[in-house]
């Protein structure tokens, strides 16, 4: 029991029960459901983030994507988050604790996992360290290591797959401490080794389609290695409209990707970074046609939370609107998800970074307690209040 929440967790699932927030997460399938006081009521926000978008590298990137809102490219200076910085952030957001009980019945001892536990990279390491710390190790009944927070998944933000030398070590670390890692890549540098490591540690991998030959080859490598949750990501705007339709066609004919990609995920264009002033949003007619064409071809379409309101608008007259609407969740920034950049700074989301009220982030590395100092900080609460009053429509950009 933590902060009025009851958690029940095993290797396959994690359940959270409290008065105003309840959730169920299946670690094997990725199925997730949340509800409030009743199954018919949605909570306004979670007591801690469920999902973390974590940028671990920024700067030079062979992708040089024209829409890159991070301005990564050919000549930018690279900066990587260190493994120790990652560990510090991970355990603060996950709120990892170590609880030791004793045969003699004396009061259990609880400690928070942080960088003071240097050299402990597995739960076995921690249990061994506990036995070294206590004067009477024979009195130890059990040592449990678990996350009191709600963190279920980390979506890693990278440049090239090989940019941060600790990337796959970070993925492995997530798994060791019961959090599912995912990442998005351009696929240009995908190889058999990267694919095999991705299959070993990741719940899903998304490939941004900028170079069809290499992106499709990346899917083939990932699938052959055993990855079964692969999505295509593409920024949806006026100049990518025809490309999106061609990708849908390819998913029905190209053997490299046919039957291997779960969905084409349409990401809302935001005027930030490399793409400022170069693109326009899809018209409702274009958006509606993409959805209809994908349904005709038997291809699944997904979208980010930034697109939810536009999606609901264009399917408003569909006979199965209610069923489809259940899958559309609008902006969850500061409500259920959080973003931390490569410097360890928290922003409501990655598109808020250095914009408007988020000219400056909140240092997670300097925070003593993530929930108090970051998630429930004055700045985060103010943003959350604006977002909720605006029906969870983006307060930073005009997206519709």
């Amino acid at each position: 029991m933590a902060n009025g929440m009851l958690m029940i967790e095993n290797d396959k699932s994690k359940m959270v029960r409290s008065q105003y927030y309840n959730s169920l997460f299946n670690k094997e399938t990725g199925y997730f459901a949340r509800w409030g006081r009743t199954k018919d009521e949605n909570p306004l926000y979670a007591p801690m983030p469920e999902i973390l978008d974590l940028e671990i590298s920024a700067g030079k990137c062979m992708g040089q994507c024209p829409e890159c809102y991070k301005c990564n490219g050919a000549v930018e200076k690279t900066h990587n988050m260190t493994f120790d910085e990652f560990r510090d952030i991970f355990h603060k957001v996950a709120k990892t604790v170590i609880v030791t009980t004793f045969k003699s019945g004396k009061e259990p001892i609880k400690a928070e996992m942080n960088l003071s536990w240097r050299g402990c990279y597995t739960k076995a390491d921690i249990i061994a360290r506990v036995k070294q710390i206590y004067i009477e190790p024979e009195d130890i009944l059990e040592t449990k290591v678990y996350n009191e927070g709600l963190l279920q998944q980390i979506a890693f933000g990278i440049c090239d797959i090989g940019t941060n030398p600790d990337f796959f070590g970070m993925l492995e670390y997530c798994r060791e401490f019961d959090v599912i890692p995912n990442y998005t890549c351009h696929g240009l540098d995908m190889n058999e080794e990267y694919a095999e490591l991705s299959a070993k540690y990741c719940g899903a991998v998304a490939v941004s389609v900028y170079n069809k030959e290499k992106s499709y080859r990346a899917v083939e490598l990932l699938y052959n290695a055993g990855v079964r949750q692969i999505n295509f990501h593409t920024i949806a705007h006026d100049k990518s409209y025809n490309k999106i339709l061609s990708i849908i066609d390819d998913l029905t004919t190209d053997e490299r990707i046919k039957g291997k990609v779960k969905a084409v995920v349409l990401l809302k264009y935001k005027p930030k970074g490399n793409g400022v002033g170069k693109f326009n949003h899809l018209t409702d007619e274009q958006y509606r046609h993409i959805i209809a064409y994908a349904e005709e071809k038997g291809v699944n379409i997904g979208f980010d939370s930034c697109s939810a309101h536009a999606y609901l608008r264009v399917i408003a007259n569909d006979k199965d609107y209610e069923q489809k609407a259940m899958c559309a969740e609008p902006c969850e920034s500061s409500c259920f998800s959080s973003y931390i950049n490569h410097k360890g700074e928290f922003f409501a989301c990655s598109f808020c970074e250095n914009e408007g009220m988020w000219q400056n982030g909140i240092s997670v590395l300097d925070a003593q307690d993530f929930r108090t100092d970051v998630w429930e900080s004055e700045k985060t609460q103010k943003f959350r209040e604006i977002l909720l009053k605006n029906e969870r429509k983006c307060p930073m950009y005009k997206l519709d």
Side-chain angles (χ1 to χ4, degrees):
M1 183 76 72
N3 300 314
M5 294 188 299
L6 173 65
M7 293 192 183
I8 304 170
E9 185 172 12
N10 55 38
D11 292 339
K12 295 183 179 181
S13 65
K14 180 175 184 176
M15 292 185 291
V16 179
R17 297 290 181 267
S18 69
Q19 183 177 2
Y20 298 106
Y21 175 90
N22 300 276
S23 65
L24 171 64
F25 177 59
N26 187 308
K27 298 179 183 179
E28 294 183 330
T29 65
Y31 172 82
F32 175 73
R34 81 167 79 89
W35 62 97
R37 286 177 294 185
T38 70
K39 291 289 179 69
D40 297 323
E41 179 183 285
N42 292 319
L44 292 176
Y45 68 99
M48 288 279 278
E50 300 166 349
I51 299 173
L52 171 62
D53 291 326
L54 182 64
E55 181 186 52
I56 60 166
S57 58
K60 191 173 182 179
C61 178
M62 67 174 66
Q64 301 177 44
C65 306
E67 301 101 332
C68 182
Y69 67 95
K70 296 296 299 184
C71 293
N72 295 324
V75 298
E76 283 68 23
K77 185 178 180 180
T78 297
H79 179 268
N80 288 319
M81 178 179 287
T82 69
F83 194 84
D84 275 349
E85 289 170 338
F86 161 75
R87 287 184 68 214
D88 185 40
I89 291 167
F90 177 93
H91 290 300
K92 284 176 178 175
V93 180
K95 201 169 178 58
T96 310
V97 295
I98 305 156
V99 178
T100 302
T101 55
F102 301 93
K103 299 173 185 176
S104 61
K106 69 179 180 180
E107 191 73 19
I109 295 178
K110 180 178 178 179
E112 289 192 11
M113 181 75 180
N114 53 46
L115 287 184
S116 65
W117 292 80
R118 291 187 181 278
C120 293
Y121 298 104
T122 67
K123 291 181 179 178
D125 293 338
I126 294 170
I127 292 170
R129 177 71 61 84
V130 168
K131 289 181 179 179
Q132 294 174 352
I133 291 174
Y134 293 116
I135 298 174
E136 300 177 323
E138 65 278 1
D139 188 34
I140 294 175
L141 177 64
E142 186 178 30
T143 297
K144 287 187 176 181
V145 183
Y146 60 94
N147 300 323
E148 282 192 335
L150 303 175
L151 187 63
Q152 300 156 357
Q153 302 181 58
I154 293 182
F156 282 85
I158 61 175
C159 292
D160 304 327
I161 297 173
T163 297
N164 191 314
D166 293 313
F167 177 40
F168 287 105
M170 293 173 180
L171 300 185
E172 181 181 18
Y173 196 82
C174 287
R175 282 289 187 175
E176 176 65 25
F177 289 93
D178 303 315
V179 171
I180 309 299
N182 307 299
Y183 72 93
T184 300
C185 65
H186 49 55
L188 302 181
D189 58 341
M190 182 64 70
N191 57 39
E192 289 184 359
E193 179 187 4
Y194 291 162
E196 288 170 2
L197 288 169
S198 299
K200 185 176 182 179
Y201 300 123
C202 290
V205 178
V207 179
S208 296
V209 186
Y210 289 105
N211 179 309
K212 276 191 175 184
E213 287 300 311
K214 293 189 176 181
S215 294
Y216 291 5
R217 174 59 176 159
V219 169
E220 194 172 37
L221 286 168
L222 288 165
Y223 192 86
N224 290 343
V227 181
R228 290 297 178 264
Q229 295 291 329
I230 306 171
N231 289 325
F232 273 150
H233 279 188
T234 184
I235 308 294
H237 52 71
D238 57 340
K239 294 181 182 177
S240 66
Y241 172 69
N242 289 325
K243 183 180 79 171
I244 294 168
L245 296 176
S246 72
I247 292 171
I248 293 171
D249 282 333
D250 292 344
L251 283 167
T252 67
T253 59
D254 194 311
E255 293 300 326
R256 292 172 297 178
I257 59 176
K258 185 179 179 180
K260 299 181 177 74
V261 176
K262 291 292 184 181
V264 178
V265 180
L266 307 179
L267 307 178
K268 195 76 171 179
Y269 161 66
K270 268 80 70 177
K272 182 178 175 66
N274 291 345
V276 173
K278 298 178 182 178
F279 309 103
N280 296 304
H281 294 302
L282 293 175
T283 65
D284 283 2
E285 182 180 355
Q286 289 174 321
Y287 201 169
R288 190 177 294 110
H289 179 65
I290 289 172
I291 295 170
Y293 192 67
E295 289 181 352
E296 176 188 329
K297 294 287 187 176
V299 172
N300 294 323
I301 287 290
F303 50 89
D304 57 0
S305 60
C306 306
S307 306
H309 289 287
Y311 173 77
L312 291 172
R313 186 176 64 250
V314 302
I315 66 163
N317 295 323
D318 289 9
K319 293 180 180 179
D320 54 353
Y321 172 81
E322 294 297 332
Q323 182 180 355
K324 290 178 178 177
M326 290 176 63
C327 301
E329 180 168 36
C331 182
E332 55 191 26
S333 301
S334 79
C335 293
F336 303 104
S337 68
S338 59
Y339 165 72
I340 298 171
N341 71 7
H342 60 104
K343 298 177 183 178
E345 299 168 331
F346 169 93
F347 297 85
C349 83
S350 56
F351 297 102
C352 290
E353 186 175 6
N354 306 132
E355 301 284 347
M357 65 179 289
W358 289 100
Q359 286 293 329
N360 298 298
I362 303 171
S363 174
V364 179
L365 297 174
D366 293 335
Q368 294 300 308
D369 180 87
F370 182 85
R371 183 175 185 180
T372 302
D373 300 339
V374 180
W375 192 244
E376 296 292 356
S377 70
E378 183 178 351
K379 179 179 286 191
T380 305
Q381 287 193 66
K382 182 180 179 182
F383 179 87
R384 186 183 297 136
E385 181 181 355
I386 295 170
L387 182 65
L388 293 173
K389 284 184 177 180
N390 197 35
E391 299 179 325
R392 287 169 67 179
K393 292 181 180 178
C394 180
M396 307 299 291
Y397 301 95
K398 184 175 176 57
L399 300 182
D400 295 322

